[in-house]
């Protein structure tokens, strides 16, 4: 008896060969991919080339290429060249595409030409999840994360970056000129060779200086005073660590707090989140079907106008307010230490004095009410309150909406922990799948398509983990 398990002889002839379907088990996720794409109305979603060619060689059906891409993103195979190789050797892909193996150019062109339709297919899967009852909670978390683009920091130019590089080149030119003076005082052959090398480097630096001066003019004329050479739509994104900024995109995501499924997403090249609260919350409202949606966000989204618009749309936002005043840091009372008394329309200070309403003015389009008292001069707590003549408090006309946000945060002290537990691992998983370089495509519209495929693959994996394959297949068939 053999000591090891022996495989079949590769030269063995079989009378009745196995079917390709025998190599794909009934609980294989590839069957979900096949059935999901078959159930989509590709024409309504906007996929191109739905009509066969009148002459010439027929093209591939969009369903075949969509299945190929979805399978690839599920298995972290996102390159069109790798997908071409897998289609010719992967048994699951042979089963999925009917042994078709499109060339890499055809595969890449499909993703480029059908961006809006692929994004619509991603939204269609959200509709399916809602029908499955996986979005019944009505509570979501909102966050944004920076993803690297196909553009290095050296190929991104801002006014500050150009000035910094010009200063570095000026310092380099001064250093080489000093070295050239030193070499001139020497007459040996080594000094002559050194002078030639230094002169070449000086010419290179002067050429680079002229290029940067020309780029400085272009940057100043750009609409947002920023230019990226490799990916024109990519922008410099600030990060927390000093010197760790990247050039990329800001990916916004609305995520269900119960099952951690991505409800809505969008790719932007705006480096901050302050203007995204209303836009993304409304997308989450539409996707979940909950008019009274509860949204958890971090302080990067805090904006009075955005919070007011959410409140008017029936969206309850919970997020902390950033401390923009330096009073607390300097050991003085902050605005939160003053209690507003609505009936009297006054503020009560920590010393117990009333700060009555004085006047109203408009700043930056906001109607602001001013409050202060003349009793500050003889107050024993004045040193801990204000270095000015009297402490003045400003109240926005819709300040009650912001106070409601703070009350919701106080009532749920674990809200921010829930937000972190919901969103952080989702972005970490996506970045892990995408690798160190993150995006592979260029331009915002192509990057948005690539992100939609990643999100669709992520959501499909989450649903498979929750429901398993057979129940999901049963629902799709129904």
């Amino acid at each position: 008896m053999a000591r090891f398990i022996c495989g079949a002889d590769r030269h063995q002839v079989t009378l009745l060969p196995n079917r390709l379907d025998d190599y794909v088990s009934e609980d294989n996720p590839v069957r979900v991919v096949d059935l999901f794409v078959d159930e989509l109305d590709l024409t309504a979603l906007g996929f191109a080339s739905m009509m066969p060619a009148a002459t010439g060689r027929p093209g591939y059906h969009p369903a075949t290429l969509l299945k190929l891409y979805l399978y690839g993103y599920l298995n972290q195979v996102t390159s069109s060249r790798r997908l071409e190789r897998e289609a010719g050797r992967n048994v699951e892909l042979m089963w999925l595409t009917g042994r078709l193996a499109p060339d890499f150019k055809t595969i890449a062109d499909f993703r480029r030409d059908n961006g809006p339709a692929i994004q619509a297919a991603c939204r269609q899967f959200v509709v399916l999840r809602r029908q499955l009852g996986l979005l019944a909670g009505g509570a979501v978390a909102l966050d944004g994360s920076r993803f690297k683009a196909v553009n290095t920091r050296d190929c991104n130019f801002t006014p500050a970056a150009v000035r910094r590089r010009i200063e570095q080149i000026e310092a380099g030119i001064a250093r080489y000129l000093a070295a050239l003076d030193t070499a001139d005082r020497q007459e040996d052959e080594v000094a002559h060779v050194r002078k030639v090398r230094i002169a070449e480097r000086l010419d290179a630096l002067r050429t680079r200086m002229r290029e940067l001066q020309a780029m400085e003019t272009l940057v100043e004329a750009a609409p947002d005073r920023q230019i990226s050479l490799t990916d024109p739509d990519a922008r410099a994104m600030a990060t927390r660590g000093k010197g760790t900024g990247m050039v990329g995109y800001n990916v916004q995501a609305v995520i269900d707090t119960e099952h951690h499924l991505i409800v809505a997403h969008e790719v932007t090249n705006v480096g901050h989140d302050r203007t995204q609260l209303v836009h993304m919350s409304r997308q989450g409202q539409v996707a979940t079907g909950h008019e009274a949606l509860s949204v958890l966000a971090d302080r990067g989204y805090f904006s009075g106008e955005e919070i007011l618009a959410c409140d008017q749309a029936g969206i309850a936002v919970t997020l902390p307010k950033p401390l923009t005043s330096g009073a607390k840091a300097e050991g003085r009372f902050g605005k939160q230490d003053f209690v507003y008394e609505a009936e009297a329309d006054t503020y009560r200070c920590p010393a117990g004095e009333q700060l009555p309403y004085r006047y109203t003015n408009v700043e930056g389009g906001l109607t602001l009410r001013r409050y202060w008292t003349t009793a500050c001069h003889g107050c024993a707590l004045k040193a801990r309150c204000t270095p000015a003549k009297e402490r003045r408090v400003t109240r926005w006309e819709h300040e009650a909406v912001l106070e409601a946000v703070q009350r919701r945060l106080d009532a749920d002290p674990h809200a921010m922990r829930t937000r972190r537990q919901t969103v952080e691992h989702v972005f970490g998983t996506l970045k892990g799948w995408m690798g160190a370089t993150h995006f592979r495509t260029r331009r915002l519209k192509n990057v948005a398509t690539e992100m939609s495929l990643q999100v669709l693959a992520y959501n499909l994996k989450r649903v498979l983990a929750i429901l398993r394959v057979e129940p999901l297949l049963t629902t799709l068939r129904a």
Side-chain angles (χ1 to χ4, degrees), residues 255-440:
I255 303 168
D256 172 53
T257 57
E258 183 177 358
H259 297 293
H260 297 188
L261 293 164
I262 300 176
V263 173
H265 73 281
E266 187 165 310
V267 181
T268 73
N269 56 5
V270 180
H272 59 81
D273 300 330
R274 290 188 300 275
T275 58
Q276 298 294 327
L277 182 61
V278 176
H279 178 61
M280 295 307 302
S281 297
R282 285 177 176 167
Q283 286 194 34
Q285 199 177 35
V286 173
T288 59
H290 290 277
E291 292 296 328
L293 188 67
S294 177
V295 177
L296 303 177
D298 62 16
R299 58 171 45 95
Y301 289 90
F302 194 94
S303 168
E305 299 95 321
E306 294 277 312
I307 294 173
L308 176 61
C310 285
D311 183 73
Q312 293 171 346
I315 301 170
V317 180
T318 303
L319 76 168
K321 182 178 181 180
L323 296 178
T324 56
S325 172
K328 279 290 187 181
E330 296 172 2
R332 301 197 306 271
F333 296 125
K335 182 180 176 180
Q336 59 270 31
D337 296 314
F338 291 74
V339 179
Y340 179 68
E341 297 178 349
E343 294 183 359
D345 190 22
T346 60
Y347 274 93
R348 186 177 71 252
C349 75
E353 291 289 339
Q354 298 293 324
L355 280 66
Y357 164 74
R358 297 294 182 174
Y359 69 93
T360 301
N361 68 332
V362 178
E363 291 184 9
L366 303 180
T367 302
L368 305 176
R369 298 169 63 84
R370 309 291 186 177
Y371 300 78
W372 75 82
T373 180
T374 57
C376 293
H377 180 70
C379 181
L381 300 179
K382 184 177 184 299
R384 296 179 54 191
C385 188
T386 179
K389 182 179 179 181
E390 67 266 332
R391 177 63 182 264
R392 300 194 176 197
V393 178
T394 301
R395 181 178 180 83
W396 183 37
E397 63 175 337
H398 300 291
E399 192 86 14
V401 176
L402 306 184
E403 292 171 347
V405 172
Q406 185 61 43
R407 286 195 296 270
R408 283 194 292 270
L409 185 61
D410 294 338
D412 185 6
H414 300 293
M416 292 302 100
R417 180 181 298 177
T418 302
R419 185 203 65 82
R420 287 194 301 271
Q421 293 173 346
T422 301
V423 301
E424 297 297 344
H425 85 88
V426 174
F427 282 122
T429 299
L430 288 172
K431 290 180 179 179
W433 288 359
M434 298 170 75
T437 55
H438 296 172
F439 289 120
R440 291 177 174 270

Side-chain angles (χ1 to χ4, degrees), residues 180-221:
L180 191 61
D181 290 339
T182 303
D184 285 338
R185 289 191 290 270
Q186 301 174 0
E187 298 181 355
D188 56 356
E189 186 176 349
V190 175
H192 176 71
V193 174
R194 187 182 301 117
K195 285 193 292 184
V196 173
R197 187 172 65 251
I198 292 174
E200 291 175 351
R201 293 184 179 178
L202 278 171
D203 289 339
L205 285 176
R206 290 183 177 118
T207 301
R208 182 59 177 162
M209 175 69 79
R210 289 192 293 270
E211 293 174 352
L212 284 175
Q213 289 171 346
M215 180 59 70
E216 186 175 26
T217 303
L218 294 176
V219 168
E220 291 294 338

Side-chain angles (χ1 to χ4, degrees), residues 111-125:
R111 180 173 59 185
R112 182 197 63 198
D113 299 336
N114 293 276
I118 291 174
Q119 296 172 41
C122 180
R123 291 191 294 269
Q124 194 65 29
F125 191 74

Side-chain angles (χ1 to χ4, degrees), residues 42-102:
L42 299 182
T43 303
L45 293 178
F47 282 93
S49 303
M50 290 298 296
M51 297 300 294
T55 59
R57 183 176 182 270
Y60 291 98
H61 196 281
T64 300
L65 295 170
L66 182 59
K67 291 176 183 179
L68 180 62
Y69 259 120
L70 184 51
Y71 177 88
Y73 277 80
L74 270 173
N75 294 276
Q76 300 173 42
V77 181
T78 59
S79 165
S80 58
R81 294 180 184 270
R82 288 189 62 193
L83 283 173
E84 179 189 10
R85 291 196 296 269
E86 290 298 316
R89 69 188 181 191
N90 188 311
V91 175
E92 291 178 346
L93 267 182
M94 292 179 185
W95 178 91
L96 186 62
T97 63
R99 293 184 184 272
L100 295 176

